[in-house]
Amino acid sequence: MKENFDFLMPSVNFFGSGVIAKIGDRAKMVNMSKVLIVTDKFLEKMENGSVEQTLRSLDQAGVDYVIYNGVEPNPKVRNIQEAKQVYLDNDCDGIITIGGGSAHDAGKGTGIILTNGDDITKLAGIETLENALPPLIAVNTTAGTASELTRHCVITNEETHLKFVVVSWRNVPLVSFNDPKLMLGVPPALTAATGMDTFVQAIEPYVSTNRNDITDGQCLQAIKLVEESLREAVSNGENLEARTKMVEAEMLGGMAFNNADLGYVHAMAHQLGGQYDAPHGVCCAILLPIVERFNLVACPDRFADLAVAMGENIDGLSIRAAADKTIDAMQQLNDDVGIPRSIKDLGADPKDFELMAENALKDGNAFSNPRKATKQQIVELFQQAYNAK
């Protein structure tokens, strides 16, 4: 655990039902006069959805805009290049992202190449950005990645299938909006995938080598909220209370990992997502119990804490036995919300595991994992995830 640390998050975070109505006035306050909206075609077409409500607020505030709707899942280099051109062609002076992690990462990536050089692949790593991004506001529509709060920008190089991370304080949006009403009716599979991403983003910082007392509290509360609400949010997507608790969990987990970092689950999940264009949350969820069983010996007391946060009864158990219950509970949560057990379901091929393991160890999330692995051990973890039944 670090004795000295900084703590990063957006300067303003709007939370609660109906807060999206404030976005026009807030855009004016950060001196946006013509913004690039970065989103996808599905959200743009939704009647009275997140995009329509954002545009209504911008119109009322007299803020002009242009829309780029080409964001793909696991956003690609081509997406941010296209968005950059729209920004320049229309003399924009700010960016508003609307969606989940893909939209936010695409917006961050667009901002990065507008001010830090056109080849974002050369900027992968930690604190590589020398120049500020254009003003950035993030409107969140899934309780998942927490990219609306964080310094992480995750982009896929479609030519090499490598999913890489640009981590910088310059990526943190100026303002975030989390309106649980925007998440009502999100399909069960997407709710499960994004919800498990939230869960993983509370687990990994708690056992990270960069954790601190503040992030510990955020992680434990986020885990409790996921345990209370994710199953209900998947089963009944119109339950506003469950949606609200999941947004609270997402925000807490996002603040935690923005400052305590992640681990091998994310480092390995990025390889699955890049290689097979697989859903990020599903990749993380499948890997979670397998990777954390590997990590358990490095800090069993921390995993025993997690068992309590997940509602497990550990009375009379040794620390190691309590820690084992945590791993079992992780798998149970996966099963309950419909996550597959094997990466076979994502199209994984063992012939790719050597390269994926090599790239996972280079990923910016790998360095704070509590137990250090060799390349061969990462290959074996991928193989376990492939063989899982």
Side-chain angles (χ1 to χ4, degrees), residues 310-365:
M310 295 180 70
E312 296 295 312
N313 183 359
I314 64 169
D315 291 346
L317 296 181
S318 67
I319 290 176
R320 176 55 194 260
D324 284 335
K325 290 198 75 167
T326 300
I327 309 302
D328 295 339
M330 290 172 179
Q331 186 59 62
Q332 187 62 60
L333 181 57
N334 270 348
D335 293 344
D336 288 348
V337 298
I339 299 293
R341 287 201 170 199
S342 172
I343 59 175
K344 285 181 185 177
D345 294 274
L346 306 178
D349 188 332
K351 70 177 175 57
D352 298 323
F353 292 171
E354 288 275 338
L355 177 60
M356 289 163 58
E358 184 175 328
N359 288 330
L361 288 172
K362 297 176 184 176
D363 188 277
N365 294 292

Side-chain angles (χ1 to χ4, degrees), residues 95-108:
I95 299 171
I96 296 178
T97 62
I98 306 175
S102 295
H104 306 319
D105 285 346
K108 292 175 184 178

Side-chain angles (χ1 to χ4, degrees), residues 241-292:
E241 181 181 0
R243 293 292 189 186
T244 299
K245 286 183 176 179
M246 282 304 302
V247 179
E248 291 170 349
E250 188 241 24
M251 292 181 70
L252 287 166
M255 294 175 202
F257 90 79
N258 200 35
N259 294 282
D261 301 316
L262 295 160
Y264 286 161
V265 176
H266 270 77
M268 294 171 64
H270 286 162
Q271 311 319 311
L272 290 170
Q275 191 69 31
Y276 310 113
D277 207 19
H280 174 68
V282 177
C283 296
C284 286
I286 294 174
L287 290 168
L288 178 66
I290 292 163
V291 173
E292 299 308 351

Side-chain angles (χ1 to χ4, degrees), residues 70-126:
V71 174
E72 302 174 64
N74 298 310
K76 316 297 188 291
V77 171
R78 63 173 171 258
N79 299 150
I80 65 173
Q81 291 286 359
E82 292 166 357
K84 173 187 174 182
Q85 197 58 51
V86 175
Y87 185 101
L88 294 174
D89 289 347
N90 290 274
D91 296 321
C92 295
D93 56 14
I95 299 171
I96 296 178
T97 62
I98 306 175
S102 295
H104 306 319
D105 285 346
K108 292 175 184 178
T110 302
I112 288 169
I113 62 173
L114 279 164
T115 58
N116 286 273
D118 199 52
D119 188 354
I120 194 171
T121 64
K122 293 180 179 178
L123 297 168
I126 300 174

Side-chain angles (χ1 to χ4, degrees), residues 203-224:
I203 296 288
E204 287 203 283
Y206 192 75
V207 297
S208 163
T209 57
N210 290 333
R211 66 185 183 269
N212 61 65
D213 289 341
I214 295 174
T215 59
D216 279 356
Q218 291 170 325
C219 289
L220 293 174
Q221 180 63 15
I223 290 163
K224 291 176 183 177

Side-chain angles (χ1 to χ4, degrees), residues 120-158:
I120 194 171
T121 64
K122 293 180 179 178
L123 297 168
I126 300 174
E127 298 302 345
T128 60
L129 305 183
E130 295 183 359
N131 302 312
L133 276 59
L136 177 64
I137 293 175
V139 178
N140 198 39
T141 63
T142 64
T145 69
S147 185
E148 80 280 6
L149 301 171
T150 71
R151 59 189 176 129
H152 297 68
C153 172
V154 186
I155 301 294
T156 298
N157 184 338
E158 61 270 32

Side-chain angles (χ1 to χ4, degrees), residues 218-233:
Q218 291 170 325
C219 289
L220 293 174
Q221 180 63 15
I223 290 163
K224 291 176 183 177
L225 288 166
V226 171
E227 278 288 331
E228 292 173 6
S229 56
L230 179 56
R231 293 173 177 88
E232 174 62 20

